[in-house]
Amino acid sequence: MWSSVLPLLVAVSPALLLQLPDYTSTQEEGLWQDYKHGRHDAELPDKKHFCSWKCLLFTLQWPGAFCQSLDEETLCTIPPSINNWTIHGLWPLKAWRCCKCWPMFESDVQELDAELKDHWPSLLRTQPSFHFWRQEWEKHGVCAACVEGMNSPLRYFQICLKLRGQFDIQRLLEDAGITPSCQRPYKLVEVHQVLAPHLGDKHEIQCVTDEKDREVWFQVKIPLSHNLTVGCDHDVDDGNPAPPRNSSHGHPCPPQVPFYYFPIDHQDPQRPCG
């Protein structure tokens, strides 16, 4: 169970903590220390806590529909080794005043490089995978870093990879006979029934609409509480992270309209089903 794994993840040697560069000013160092330990900033007029968020969204995306989510589909590429759901991000919701003084370098996640390339690749021709990871850290990871188990780039990405192993969506779907197809659409209720026992009732199945007006399964958003347990009350419309650059918003798959779960086509990722 995840609850039994979490303490092992949190108990990481302090030597793994990110060391800030020497050029960090005293003021920035103080801000980082306050943020790292979730300390209250008495100088703020509204006196809010640094770690004000309560929920996170762990988001997985399906490469077979990623191209359809882009404004410019030609930007899309799917590496030959990618044949499974990939990580899009782990996003604290309603996070504010995130520390901007915490850079990320390739050496911070060097030991995870192979795993990240397998499970968290960039699917944009113009964006190397490390740039994708760094973007996610700087936008969302630093907001999660007030939690001890995620208070360095290494720890944050370790947690994301553990969550990816915990939520093996493709295996759950295959066991239920739900496989990628260009011919067979699926109903929201049948997919939800398969995933809900493992992802919680509040998970969201997202679609995009392709050029033939077909609803195409794009993402799954899994709400997690502050301690990474499944399920959390949150307002999806308030605090949701912005979509990646060159990407259109996914939307909840409509309950009354069947959607397609396109196969991955590495040769022609833009048109897996014509």
Side-chain angles (χ1 to χ4, degrees):
M1 294 178 62
W2 177 248
S3 59
S4 65
V5 176
L6 182 59
L8 298 177
L9 299 177
V10 175
V12 180
S13 168
L16 296 177
L17 292 178
L18 176 69
Q19 298 297 314
L20 290 179
D22 293 338
Y23 59 74
T24 305
S25 69
T26 302
Q27 183 178 8
E28 286 177 324
E29 173 69 16
L31 175 61
W32 175 70
Q33 289 292 339
D34 283 342
Y35 185 80
K36 170 187 168 186
H37 298 291
R39 284 203 291 261
H40 182 75
D41 188 349
E43 300 302 318
L44 292 176
D46 49 10
K47 297 184 179 180
K48 286 187 177 180
H49 195 282
F50 273 111
C51 204
S52 58
W53 55 268
K54 300 298 181 186
C55 303
L56 306 101
L57 284 180
F58 182 59
T59 303
L60 295 169
Q61 62 188 6
W62 178 240
F66 178 77
C67 295
Q68 285 72 39
S69 75
L70 298 176
D71 295 331
E72 299 178 54
E73 292 183 356
T74 55
L75 293 175
C76 177
T77 182
I78 304 176
S81 61
I82 302 303
N83 293 288
N84 207 321
W85 289 77
T86 62
I87 300 170
H88 187 170
L90 178 64
W91 308 323
L93 294 179
K94 300 184 180 179
W96 70 283
R97 192 173 167 77
C98 298
C99 178
K100 301 299 183 185
C101 53
W102 206 330
M104 174 177 165
F105 306 98
E106 291 190 66
S107 58
D108 293 324
V109 293
Q110 186 173 5
E111 66 186 77
L112 302 177
D113 186 75
E115 272 191 281
L116 288 171
K117 285 179 177 176
D118 281 343
H119 301 301
W120 200 334
S122 171
L123 301 179
L124 290 175
R125 295 182 184 277
T126 56
Q127 183 183 55
S129 287
F130 174 74
H131 292 184
F132 182 23
W133 307 333
R134 184 174 59 189
Q135 173 183 295
E136 289 295 308
W137 165 254
E138 292 177 348
K139 187 173 183 180
H140 306 293
V142 294
C143 298
C146 56
V147 174
E148 184 179 353
M150 293 185 278
N151 62 352
S152 74
L154 178 61
R155 289 183 174 188
Y156 174 75
F157 287 101
Q158 283 176 328
I159 289 287
C160 291
L161 289 170
K162 291 289 185 181
L163 290 171
R164 170 62 184 77
Q166 177 76 12
F167 302 120
D168 190 350
I169 292 178
Q170 188 155 320
R171 179 183 59 81
L172 296 172
L173 295 170
E174 287 178 350
D175 289 348
I178 297 175
T179 56
S181 172
C182 291
Q183 288 77 40
R184 180 189 172 187
Y186 294 95
K187 294 180 180 179
L188 180 63
V189 63
E190 64 181 313
V191 175
H192 179 82
Q193 287 174 348
V194 170
L195 298 181
H198 307 275
L199 312 185
D201 288 334
K202 296 181 180 295
H203 74 271
E204 182 177 293
I205 298 171
Q206 285 201 321
C207 287
V208 291
T209 306
D210 74 356
E211 61 183 12
K212 295 185 178 181
D213 289 327
R214 293 173 292 193
E215 294 292 340
V216 181
W217 192 3
F218 168 44
Q219 290 192 141
V220 175
K221 292 184 175 181
I222 307 166
L224 303 172
S225 64
H226 204 279
N227 65 357
L228 301 179
T229 55
V230 172
C232 190
D233 292 326
H234 66 286
D235 186 344
V236 175
D237 296 323
D238 185 7
N240 230 354
R245 196 170 69 176
N246 300 315
S247 174
S248 62
H249 275 288
H251 54 264
C253 295
Q256 305 304 326
V257 180
F259 58 83
Y260 286 88
Y261 180 22
F262 281 174
I264 294 173
D265 187 333
H266 299 95
Q267 300 302 316
D268 188 8
Q270 294 87 5
R271 302 288 183 275
C273 292

